[in-house]
């Protein structure tokens, strides 16, 4: 179930035997132990961390605070990894292949799946000549905003509903102008 890192350390130190425990475990316990062990590795990809954190939370035994304490990670770190669950499979794949940065994928994860699919198909599938793969998160946010959103301040209607809508970029920031934002 777990112990690969300890096993490798014993072998590296030339040990002939390795102490081990044999236990009867349920499938759920095996999964949980394997996830916890896996999260201790140093070479995890952001998506591996995201998937593991998500599965641990789905067991119902872990809260965000539990994960912070168990793994010594900040709330921001864990929340950012969990946000990766909002990505389309295409963006998850290019993140796993290091073809796009974590910061850029976190920016993209703010948008609904349908919009992500449009962005991917237009700017990442064939790596068009605007080189969207090579830009930073701030530039990505600007390009997406200019190309795919509508400036709400240009329209004269009651925006009360917009102020709570997850498709309003104004709701993404803690100190944003509630009457503004851009509609995605």
């Amino acid at each position: 179930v777990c112990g690969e890192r300890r096993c490798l350390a014993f072998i590296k130190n030339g040990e002939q035997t390795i102490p081990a425990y044999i236990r009867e475990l349920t499938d759920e316990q095996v999964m949980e132990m394997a996830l916890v062990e896996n999260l201790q590795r140093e070479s995890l990809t952001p998506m591996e961390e995201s998937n593991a954190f998500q599965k641990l939370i789905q067991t119902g035994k872990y809260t965000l605070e539990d994960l912070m304490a168990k793994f010594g990670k900040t709330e921001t770190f864990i929340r950012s990894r969990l946000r990766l669950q909002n990505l389309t499979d295409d963006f998850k794949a290019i993140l796993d292949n290091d073809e796009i940065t974590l910061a850029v994928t976190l920016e993209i994860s703010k948008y609904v799946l349908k919009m992500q699919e449009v962005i991917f198909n237009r700017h990442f599938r064939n790596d068009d000549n605007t080189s969207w793969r090579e830009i930073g998160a701030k530039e990505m946010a600007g390009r997406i905003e200019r190309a795919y959103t509508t400036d709400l301040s240009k329209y004269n209607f009651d925006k009360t509903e917009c102020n709570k809508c997850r498709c309003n970029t104004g709701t993404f920031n803690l100190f944003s102008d509630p009457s503004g934002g851009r509609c995605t």
Side-chain angles (χ1 to χ4, degrees):
V1 173
C2 58
E4 180 182 7
R5 292 177 335 151
R6 285 179 289 283
C7 180
L8 293 174
F10 269 82
I11 291 169
K12 186 176 180 178
N13 288 331
E15 300 287 334
Q16 298 299 313
T17 60
I18 301 170
Y21 295 100
I22 300 173
R23 298 182 188 158
E24 292 289 324
L25 302 170
T26 66
D27 289 345
E28 185 179 301
Q29 289 172 315
V30 168
M31 181 204 67
E32 186 177 336
M33 289 176 73
L35 287 171
V36 169
E37 176 74 11
N38 195 32
L39 279 167
Q40 307 283 341
R41 285 189 5 237
E42 292 178 12
S43 60
L44 283 179
T45 68
M47 279 313 305
E48 287 174 321
E49 290 173 322
S50 176
N51 293 334
F53 286 139
Q54 181 70 21
K55 286 178 184 173
L56 287 171
I57 287 176
Q58 285 175 340
T59 66
K61 294 181 180 180
Y62 293 90
T63 63
L64 185 63
E65 292 75 21
D66 295 331
L67 295 175
M68 291 165 50
K70 188 164 193 80
F71 299 105
K73 304 289 185 186
T74 65
E75 179 177 354
T76 302
F77 180 91
I78 294 171
R79 283 191 186 279
S80 71
R81 292 310 188 268
L82 290 170
R83 274 187 32 213
L84 296 177
Q85 295 295 309
N86 299 333
L87 290 170
T88 63
D89 289 341
D90 288 325
F91 278 116
K92 288 176 183 178
I94 63 174
L95 174 62
D96 274 342
N97 292 330
D98 288 327
E99 297 173 31
I100 190 170
T101 67
L102 174 61
V104 168
T105 54
L106 287 171
E107 184 61 39
I108 291 168
S109 74
K110 294 177 181 178
Y111 296 94
V112 296
L113 295 178
K114 196 170 211 122
M115 186 171 188
Q116 288 182 40
E117 289 169 1
V118 170
I119 293 167
F120 184 84
N121 288 330
R122 289 189 185 162
H123 304 288
F124 288 88
R125 183 166 304 284
N126 298 318
D127 197 16
D128 73 357
N129 60 5
T130 60
S131 301
W132 282 49
R133 289 178 189 249
E134 299 169 8
I135 62 175
K138 195 170 191 174
E139 176 65 18
M140 176 64 69
R143 285 188 186 185
I144 291 173
E145 189 171 290
R146 287 187 301 277
Y148 299 103
T149 66
T150 303
D151 185 353
L152 290 171
S153 67
K154 292 181 179 179
Y155 297 91
N156 189 19
F157 64 90
D158 182 10
K159 298 176 189 80
T160 305
E161 296 282 327
C162 298
N163 294 337
K164 295 176 243 157
C165 178
R166 71 180 294 263
C167 295
N168 179 356
T169 61
T171 63
F172 296 156
N173 300 320
L174 183 61
F175 301 108
S176 65
D177 176 12
S179 63
R182 296 179 69 93
C183 180
T184 61

